[in-house]
Amino acid sequence: MKLTRAVAGAAVLSLCVLLAVQPAAAAAAGGNVEGTVREEVQKAIKADPGVGPALIRLVFHDCWVNGCDGSVLLDTTPSNSSSGVEKAAANNIGLRGFELIDAIKAKLGDAVSCADIVVLAGRDAAAILSRGRITYALKTGRRDGVVSSAAAADATLPQSTFEVSQLKGNFAKKNFTTEELVVLSGAHAVGVSHLSSFKDRLNAATATPIDPSYAAALARDVEALKGQQNTTDPTERFNIRDMDAGFRNASGFDATGVNTTAVGVLDNSFYHATLQNMVLLKSDWVLRTDGEASGSLSDFRDDAAKWEAEFAAAMVKLSNLPAEGTRFEIRKSCRSTN
Ligand code: HEM
């Protein structure tokens, strides 16, 4: 009798404990989502540093087209074959990181949307690549869309051959200022670009002003990369900081204020390079040609902390672009609708 009572008491007690910890457990589960994403991103960047820049770009390419809805991850949709989805868009050349998103999704299951995973992973990549200097909080609760269109991605994402007025107009459509355009372009401090995205800069007939010594060093390097990568369209590192000393010296790069040992680090070195005409993309260089944008370029070159803070704020704004559309779900696989 006594024993039974004790057991019953224990059962009631454990039920109370269970109820009491329920909200805390739910909060911990929320914490685990962010912890799991961070852990997976950390592991992946350790194994392949190129994944970091890829994740930051994924945030832009997902959220710019239809808002943050995971649409960039779809391999097909009910209304589109693989040739018609965002991944197939010309402007999405080189987009990568999908396997890591899949791996994170496999760990988190149905409770978390693919759209949330994209922005959380991008946030962690920015924190890791900036060595902890770019951090920001994000809300979760995004839902996944069911539409993904290559044509929409090509119509919506900016192109590397855009003039500054087109870049400004593209950002204004999403309610982003010229300053935010300049801030976010600083992401091109990290990662790579295909030759086809900057070949206009190496052709005298189409070139926008580019430092001639840098252009010559770049042309030589690109030829070597074609052999190394066994392709006519190799990928080149964006940042002259990340090139070896031979390349930097041949270009006459003035590294004052740039930490040349911080290879692969997300910092304000993009602005040092742009203001010396030593950047790959026309769309990066043309920021110099706009009065408003060029003022921001020198501000961010001269004040790393200001750029880091503004980059974090602009990434939050980007990660919060609301999903457009009428049908949403939490996808089971990030690559297909349920
Ligand atoms: C302003 C207009 C922009 C244009 C025209 C542009 C264009 C490009 C192009 C052409 C590439 C190289 C693609 C290739 O050939 O492989 C690239 C890569 C990249 N972009 Fe942008 N981009 C812009 C804005 C942004 C923004 C807002 C972000 C993020 C905040 C971003 C982050 C990146 C990153 C990190 C890479 C390297 C990706 C990797 O290494 O896998 N870009 N971008």
Side-chain angles (χ1 to χ4, degrees), residues 50 53-54 57 90-96 159-161 187-202 214 218 221-222 225-226 229 231-239 242-243 279-284:
R57 186 173 182 224
N91 289 351
N92 275 331
I93 180 176
L95 213 62
R96 50 196 180 132
Q159 290 167 28
S160 59
T161 50
H188 292 164
V190 294
V192 296
S193 170
H194 283 84
L195 170 60
S196 53
S197 299
F198 64 89
K199 64 178 190 314
D200 55 306
R201 303 261 291 149
L202 295 178
Y214 168 71
L218 196 56
D221 200 55
V222 159
L225 290 175
K226 283 181 182 171
Q229 296 176 21
T231 169
T232 53
D233 193 15
T235 54
E236 176 61 279
R237 281 160 285 180
F238 263 120
N239 199 331
D242 293 351
M243 306 303 278
V279 279
L280 294 188
L281 305 183
K282 173 183 170 183
S283 54
D284 292 333

Side-chain angles (χ1 to χ4, degrees), residues 1-337:
M1 177 73 183
K2 248 186 191 166
L3 192 68
T4 318
R5 213 185 256 159
V7 169
V12 170
L13 187 70
S14 58
L15 187 68
C16 289
V17 169
L18 202 68
L19 289 173
V21 298
Q22 203 68 320
N32 281 341
V33 168
E34 302 205 4
T36 302
V37 176
R38 193 174 318 117
E39 215 170 274
E40 293 300 308
V41 170
Q42 249 158 6
K43 257 197 310 196
I45 292 180
K46 212 167 173 193
D48 171 13
V51 170
L55 292 173
I56 296 171
R57 186 173 182 224
L58 264 188
V59 177
F60 179 48
H61 286 228
D62 188 34
C63 297
W64 217 240
V65 184
N66 282 335
C68 306
D69 65 347
S71 57
V72 76
L73 307 172
L74 290 167
D75 283 339
T76 54
T77 69
S79 51
N80 258 332
S81 66
S82 59
S83 62
V85 294
E86 287 177 34
K87 277 180 184 175
N91 289 351
N92 275 331
I93 180 176
L95 213 62
R96 50 196 180 132
F98 302 111
E99 293 77 15
L100 174 58
I101 302 290
D102 291 339
I104 297 172
K105 177 69 176 174
K107 293 238 152 165
L108 294 175
D110 292 349
V112 182
S113 67
C114 300
D116 273 346
I117 293 174
V118 167
V119 296
L120 292 175
R123 187 250 320 248
D124 293 334
I128 294 166
L129 294 187
S130 68
R131 295 180 169 164
R133 294 185 63 88
I134 296 171
T135 58
Y136 48 91
L138 284 178
K139 288 200 192 87
T140 52
R142 290 167 197 73
R143 289 175 305 159
D144 299 320
V146 297
V147 175
S148 179
S149 151
D154 275 332
T156 311
L157 289 163
Q159 290 167 28
S160 59
T161 50
F162 270 10
E163 300 296 339
V164 74
S165 57
Q166 292 173 295
L167 292 171
K168 287 171 72 164
N170 182 280
F171 271 59
K173 261 196 196 151
K174 301 282 171 190
N175 202 23
F176 277 63
T177 64
T178 300
E179 175 138 348
E180 286 166 333
L181 161 66
V182 178
V183 165
L184 287 173
S185 296
H188 292 164
V190 294
V192 296
S193 170
H194 283 84
L195 170 60
S196 53
S197 299
F198 64 89
K199 64 178 190 314
D200 55 306
R201 303 261 291 149
L202 295 178
N203 176 343
T206 50
T208 28
I210 182 168
D211 180 276
S213 306
Y214 168 71
L218 196 56
R220 279 196 299 276
D221 200 55
V222 159
E223 283 314 307
L225 290 175
K226 283 181 182 171
Q228 285 163 27
Q229 296 176 21
N230 195 22
T231 169
T232 53
D233 193 15
T235 54
E236 176 61 279
R237 281 160 285 180
F238 263 120
N239 199 331
I240 188 168
R241 174 204 59 197
D242 293 351
M243 306 303 278
D244 62 30
F247 184 106
R248 292 198 309 269
N249 292 338
S251 304
F253 180 59
D254 177 3
T256 309
V258 176
N259 179 0
T260 52
T261 64
V263 173
V265 170
L266 180 59
D267 62 14
N268 69 335
S269 51
F270 167 84
Y271 303 96
H272 289 267
T274 305
L275 289 165
Q276 293 181 54
N277 295 350
M278 295 186 192
V279 279
L280 294 188
L281 305 183
K282 173 183 170 183
S283 54
D284 292 333
W285 181 82
V286 290
L287 299 173
R288 293 199 69 178
T289 64
D290 179 78
E292 201 188 346
S294 74
S296 301
L297 287 173
S298 42
D299 285 352
F300 296 136
R301 175 195 60 194
D302 298 339
D303 191 342
K306 177 182 163 75
W307 174 72
E308 287 156 0
E310 290 197 29
F311 186 78
M315 285 301 286
V316 171
K317 184 169 168 182
L318 187 59
S319 305
N320 286 338
L321 280 173
E324 298 157 23
T326 49
R327 239 191 75 204
F328 299 103
E329 60 189 20
I330 308 290
R331 256 177 243 151
K332 295 192 186 312
S333 156
C334 291
R335 291 177 184 263
S336 55
T337 60

